Amino acid sequence: MNSSFAETDNDFIFRRRDRKTSYRGTSMMGSALRNTKNLLLFIFLVAIFCLLWVPKDNLRRMANENRKNNSTMSFRLPVSAEDWCAVPKLPPFDYSQCKDKVSINKLPLYGGLTNSLKIMLLGAVLSFEEDRCFVVDESTSALPKRESPEDSFNTSFYNRYFSPVGLPSHTLASTNLTVQTRGWEETWGNWSHNRRIKSQLNTIDSLGLKSIDGHSLKRYVMKRLWRPLPWLRKSACAKLENQLGRHAQRRGRTSEDEFIAFSVRRGDKASENFTFASLDQYIIAAEKAAVTHFHGGRNETDIYSNPKKMPTIFVATDDCTVMGDFRSRRPHWNFVSECDDNTNHQSNNGFRINDMKRWDSEATDAHFRKFMVELIAMASAKYFIGVLYTNVTWWVLFMRSQDPSTFKIL
């Protein structure tokens, strides 16, 4: 037997048969090939039928589930929540590695939490650009100030909720370096450079960043610098998962469904002479977003007549009275909010920073647990609707990785 046929004995026998048998064998092979093609065509048609038959909501959930199987996030939330509900992927900064051995920067915290975060972020970027070490200074901040001594913070207010940023505060007292204060006037107030606007290209040699636009720079530094402590991150994400899932069950939805987030800021912003956006403006913007980004209907009129096409709306607000107003305007929409949880530190007239000095530690923790849930919800929402007159909007912009078209300012 020819060795070339040793592994295909049946083929060898087939070739040795007479011409008539050979033709019959060829006919059988052609039939088998045709049957294979028909089978493949049948499988293809069945797949097309399944795609058309399976409801789109189910397909989305299946896709979400598949992505979550490859995710490090343990919460049943939209995949967009992974940036803040999973263990951070980017490493933290080593704040001790600085080439400048002459000076050190002091970054004071100003105003409420998100304003303080904004100024701290810009000050940190400036310090990295100078390759200079820095310290975050809370000594003049309103955040830790309390009227009652027993309610005062024994350690850092910031470090109570977030991983430390910069060198320890006691460094300022012991250093021989020249201390330079980098306040908000020099960072946020410097529009031409230190504010890091989107169109500005930046090179930060100490971070290995070349010609990076201002927004991408701030987003990158934020994710390495601002790190909610694990207990806060996990509790906030679990709470968000529960809120979205519990309120959506009656409509056949889950916590993994994509949703819209509102940011409604009231409180002490009235004293700054801002005109608040009306609740109707939020509703109109949400109806448009449902059409353009959620395929909820042909137009806003279609959404109004068929509210089941409207995605869930998470309302982040410092004034819980707006929830009743929203629900009276659209009683068939699914509004979700931390205001629905009676255990939270709630306000019916909005946040006022001067009120904080009368809070005890329990009220402070409750407030910032609520706020963390809201921040992650706004960052994770498929579509965000906010206002220009709050630093919350500014901070959420850089927490988000979604398409800029999903970010609406009223």
Side-chain angles (χ1 to χ4, degrees):
M1 181 181 292
N2 191 314
S3 61
S4 64
F5 297 105
E7 294 182 3
T8 56
D9 194 53
N10 289 337
D11 189 27
F12 173 72
I13 294 171
F14 175 80
R15 291 167 185 248
R16 291 293 302 269
R17 288 177 180 167
D18 57 39
R19 187 184 299 268
K20 184 175 180 180
T21 303
S22 178
Y23 287 154
R24 185 170 66 249
T26 304
S27 176
M28 291 171 63
M29 179 176 289
S31 177
L33 288 172
R34 285 193 297 275
N35 288 339
T36 301
K37 290 179 180 178
N38 289 338
L39 178 60
L40 292 174
L41 178 61
F42 174 75
I43 293 173
F44 175 75
L45 291 174
V46 168
I48 293 296
F49 172 78
C50 289
L51 287 172
L52 294 174
W53 180 78
V54 176
K56 289 183 180 179
D57 284 349
N58 289 347
L59 286 175
R60 186 173 69 250
R61 291 191 182 103
M62 290 162 61
N64 256 340
E65 191 64 35
N66 184 55
R67 288 195 297 268
K68 283 178 69 63
N69 288 337
N70 299 316
S71 167
T72 58
M73 182 172 63
S74 60
F75 302 97
R76 295 182 61 85
L77 289 168
V79 176
S80 53
E82 185 173 1
D83 279 348
W84 301 105
C85 287
V87 175
K89 296 178 181 179
L90 293 173
F93 291 118
D94 182 351
Y95 298 107
S96 65
Q97 300 301 310
C98 319
K99 287 186 178 179
D100 188 337
K101 304 302 181 183
V102 176
S103 302
I104 185 172
N105 287 338
K106 180 171 71 171
L107 312 182
L109 298 185
Y110 291 96
L113 179 61
T114 47
N115 188 71
S116 295
L117 293 174
K118 174 184 74 177
I119 302 305
M120 181 182 72
L121 175 64
L122 294 175
V125 171
L126 178 60
S127 300
F128 289 131
E129 186 176 51
E130 298 171 335
D131 211 342
R132 181 182 294 177
C133 289
F134 65 92
V135 170
V136 175
D137 176 31
E138 297 183 17
S139 63
T140 59
S141 171
L143 294 172
K145 302 296 184 186
R146 295 295 180 272
E147 287 183 345
S148 177
E150 60 265 24
D151 295 329
S152 298
F153 291 87
N154 295 325
T155 57
S156 163
F157 168 87
Y158 183 88
N159 295 351
R160 184 180 181 91
Y161 304 105
F162 312 105
S163 295
V165 172
L167 297 180
S169 58
H170 61 73
T171 304
L172 294 177
S174 58
T175 185
N176 293 321
L177 301 178
T178 300
V179 178
Q180 187 170 353
T181 301
R182 318 307 288 268
W184 70 269
E185 302 93 340
E186 189 177 2
T187 52
W188 177 254
N190 185 330
W191 183 278
S192 63
H193 184 74
N194 293 343
R195 192 181 287 199
R196 317 289 171 172
I197 62 176
K198 182 174 177 57
S199 60
Q200 174 190 341
L201 295 181
N202 303 266
T203 293
I204 312 293
D205 290 329
S206 68
L207 301 181
L209 301 175
K210 306 291 184 182
S211 298
I212 182 173
D213 72 84
H215 282 196
S216 296
L217 171 62
K218 286 183 282 195
R219 189 170 284 114
Y220 170 77
V221 173
M222 171 195 275
K223 289 186 177 180
R224 293 187 63 181
L225 174 143
W226 183 62
R227 295 178 176 244
L229 292 177
W231 72 264
L232 182 61
R233 170 175 56 83
K234 291 176 182 179
S235 65
C237 293
K239 190 70 178 298
L240 179 61
E241 177 186 46
N242 179 62
Q243 286 275 21
L244 291 173
R246 176 162 51 90
H247 287 265
Q249 279 182 349
R250 65 181 182 274
R251 304 185 69 185
R253 298 179 180 177
T254 74
S255 56
E256 293 180 280
D257 284 347
E258 295 169 328
F259 60 97
I260 295 174
F262 290 172
S263 174
V264 184
R265 176 72 162 95
R266 299 288 178 83
D268 51 17
K269 288 298 175 181
S271 64
E272 299 176 29
N273 298 319
F274 287 110
T275 301
F276 295 147
S278 71
L279 301 191
D280 288 334
Q281 286 180 273
Y282 285 91
I283 288 173
I284 292 170
E287 289 174 336
K288 290 180 178 178
V291 174
T292 58
H293 288 79
F294 292 82
H295 309 292
R298 298 184 299 275
N299 50 49
E300 292 91 313
T301 303
D302 189 25
I303 289 289
Y304 183 79
S305 60
N306 192 351
K308 289 186 178 181
K309 294 182 178 180
M310 194 68 199
T312 293
I313 296 177
F314 185 99
V315 180
T317 181
D318 62 332
D319 184 352
C320 290
T321 62
V322 303
M323 295 309 301
D325 293 336
F326 275 129
R327 285 168 174 150
S328 65
R329 282 171 166 79
R330 290 294 186 271
H332 300 295
W333 286 14
N334 187 41
F335 290 102
V336 178
S337 176
E338 278 290 277
C339 289
D340 296 325
D341 187 342
N342 294 326
T343 65
N344 281 324
H345 178 68
Q346 299 185 10
S347 173
N348 288 327
N349 56 6
F351 171 75
R352 289 172 170 78
I353 194 168
N354 288 333
D355 293 342
M356 289 187 67
K357 61 188 177 184
R358 291 182 287 275
W359 293 358
D360 59 16
S361 59
E362 184 178 350
T364 304
D365 288 346
H367 174 83
F368 288 106
R369 280 198 302 265
K370 170 183 179 291
F371 191 42
M372 197 65 214
V373 175
E374 293 175 331
L375 285 175
I376 293 176
M378 291 184 282
S380 307
K382 182 174 183 178
Y383 198 91
F384 170 83
I385 301 172
V387 288
L388 193 62
Y389 49 80
T390 172
N391 289 295
V392 172
T393 298
W394 192 95
W395 195 250
V396 168
L397 171 64
F398 298 111
M399 287 181 69
R400 290 173 62 84
S401 301
Q402 294 88 324
D403 189 296
S405 69
T406 64
F407 194 86
K408 172 68 176 178
I409 301 294
L410 297 177

